[in-house]
Amino acid sequence: MTASSAMPRDTAGAFHVTHRLILAIALPMTLGFLTTPLLGLVDTAVVGRMGQATLLAGLAVGAVMFDLIFTTFNFLRAATTGLVAQAYGRGDRREQQAVFWRSLTIAFICGTVSLLISPLLLSGGLWLMGPEPEVAAVTSTYFLCRIISAPAALANYAILGFVLGRGEGTIGLMLQTLINGVNIVLSILLGLVLGWGVMGVALATVTGEVIGALAGFAIVYGRFDREDAPSWALIFDRERLKPLFGLNRDIMIRSFVLLAAFTLMTRIGTAFGPVTLAANAVLMTIFLVAGYYLDGLANAAEQLIGRSIGARYRPAFDRALRLTAAWSLGLALLTTAAFLLFGDRLIDLLTTATDVRAVAYEYLPWAAVTAMTGALAFLMDGVFIGATWSREMRNMMVAAFVGYVAALAVLVPAFGNHGLWAGLNLFLLMRGLFLLSRIPTKARQTFRLAQ
């Protein structure tokens, strides 16, 4: 292996956080993550242009079910990022590789188990979501095809977590673009041009995930320095595994609660009928655009916060927090304004069904403002993941969910679908504020122990 092909040598200790350093991580990942909601836009548009609300609703239910399954395992990405970032801050290259192998092994096991029990997952998901029979049939077709990608999809979480932990946003951009680019092209080709519909959209997703996992593994493994390779005894050392499993447990619970919130929204939305359910699915795509758009800055916070703790350098922690917060607020304002001005055109692009369009126009402002209400929540997730403060992140998510359920119990009976969207925005606000309130105490404890 040549020196140019290996990972660059880490620099441990104090470092200065600049706007340029933040953007070097955030900008590539923002562009990369934007391909994910773009994929959602394309998938929704492919099915939506068939002009049947039932097909669009079936895709929406199926997408939520996969969010429930795959995003539950987001701990593979998040825990890997936090642990690698802290090892990077310490300059410990052997531990970085060890974290990668631990996470990849867990990803493969979880993905394979998910595939084997997919009939049970489908039955449980349909029972939970309660769609109408015609919608359920569409969802089943989509689900049974897409679940084939489970091992590759979860492997991509571990690979991306490693890349982000090292702050290598350009590689992350390349991998995300590859996965979603293949998916988008094939979704249009198979779903629309060849007329395979929902089945074509699912097959496109499977192909994109597999290609991305193979490419990502080749890139990461090819850049490892064999001199720093950990032994299998070190990789699976019980004491080394404890922090990873602890993080995974807390982040999994947190992810379950988060997905329960979105699942509850979709479940309540089914009571308003297929047209409103389809309109909400279109508007949730707007919410996802805002979320992925701001996740680039959250990723910058993850890496820089984790690196500052690994380096035991409080000034970098404080400055990373201030600068990423400023960028997040500014981008959230611009995003909300853009959706308020041009959201109706986006809705027209996503569906040709006039009844779905009309309902989506009515609730557009609620979806647009999620960028503002969610900006702090997205950023705080990044801070707590990088710091590996998983227990507090879990507890504050549960507290916000309790407030969300209470808000829905009051707002939905009084205001219908307007109340449903108002409840979502309140949930996002509570998440951000609750986490923010814990930072002063946790930062003092962490850096005092590090001294």
Side-chain angles (χ1 to χ4, degrees), residues 184-426:
I184 288 169
V185 171
L186 290 181
S187 183
I188 295 171
L189 176 62
L190 300 178
L192 200 58
V193 176
L194 297 182
W196 293 5
V198 171
M199 175 68 80
V201 169
L203 285 172
T205 302
V206 172
T207 306
E209 294 285 6
V210 171
I211 291 175
L214 293 174
F217 179 81
I219 291 170
V220 171
Y221 182 72
R223 298 171 76 240
F224 280 160
D225 191 330
R226 304 302 183 263
E227 294 179 359
D228 299 316
S231 65
W232 288 109
L234 176 62
I235 292 172
F236 296 109
D237 179 74
R238 180 176 298 180
E239 293 303 314
R240 300 283 184 138
L241 285 170
K242 283 182 180 179
L244 179 60
F245 280 116
L247 285 169
N248 288 347
R249 179 199 61 229
D250 293 335
I251 296 173
M252 177 184 280
I253 294 172
R254 173 258 183 199
S255 297
F256 266 124
V257 176
L258 178 60
L259 285 169
F262 294 134
T263 302
L264 181 60
M265 182 175 180
T266 303
R267 184 69 177 85
I268 293 174
T270 60
F272 300 134
V275 174
T276 299
L277 179 61
N280 282 350
V282 171
L283 294 175
M284 281 299 289
T285 303
I286 291 178
F287 164 68
L288 290 175
V289 169
Y292 283 110
Y293 185 63
L294 294 168
D295 256 351
L297 284 164
N299 290 145
E302 288 177 29
Q303 203 277 334
L304 295 172
I305 292 296
R307 181 181 172 186
S308 68
I309 290 175
R312 303 181 179 185
Y313 190 55
R314 178 66 186 267
F317 176 95
D318 293 335
R319 184 166 172 81
L321 184 60
R322 288 196 304 270
L323 294 188
T324 53
W327 277 103
S328 294
L329 178 60
L331 288 175
L333 285 168
L334 291 175
T335 303
T336 294
F339 284 139
L340 289 173
L341 291 173
F342 306 112
D344 54 345
R345 301 178 190 177
L346 182 57
I347 291 170
D348 291 345
L349 177 66
L350 291 174
T351 179
T352 58
T354 56
D355 51 353
V356 175
R357 283 179 174 179
V359 174
Y361 295 154
E362 180 180 356
Y363 300 106
L364 173 61
W366 289 113
V369 80
T370 56
M372 287 297 301
T373 57
L376 183 61
F378 300 140
L379 179 63
M380 289 297 102
D381 281 348
V383 171
F384 278 68
I385 287 170
T388 61
W389 296 335
S390 59
R391 184 172 62 179
E392 287 73 19
M393 186 167 63
R394 176 199 68 195
N395 293 345
M396 295 302 101
M397 176 64 78
V398 172
F401 181 76
V402 171
Y404 172 61
V405 172
L408 292 180
V410 173
L411 296 172
V412 172
F415 303 105
N417 202 47
H418 283 290
L420 187 60
W421 278 97
L424 175 64
N425 279 281
L426 286 173

Side-chain angles (χ1 to χ4, degrees), residues 65-78:
M65 288 170 61
F66 274 100
D67 284 342
L68 185 61
I69 296 169
F70 286 166
T71 309
T72 295
F73 294 109
N74 191 48
F75 64 79
L76 291 165
R77 205 281 305 160

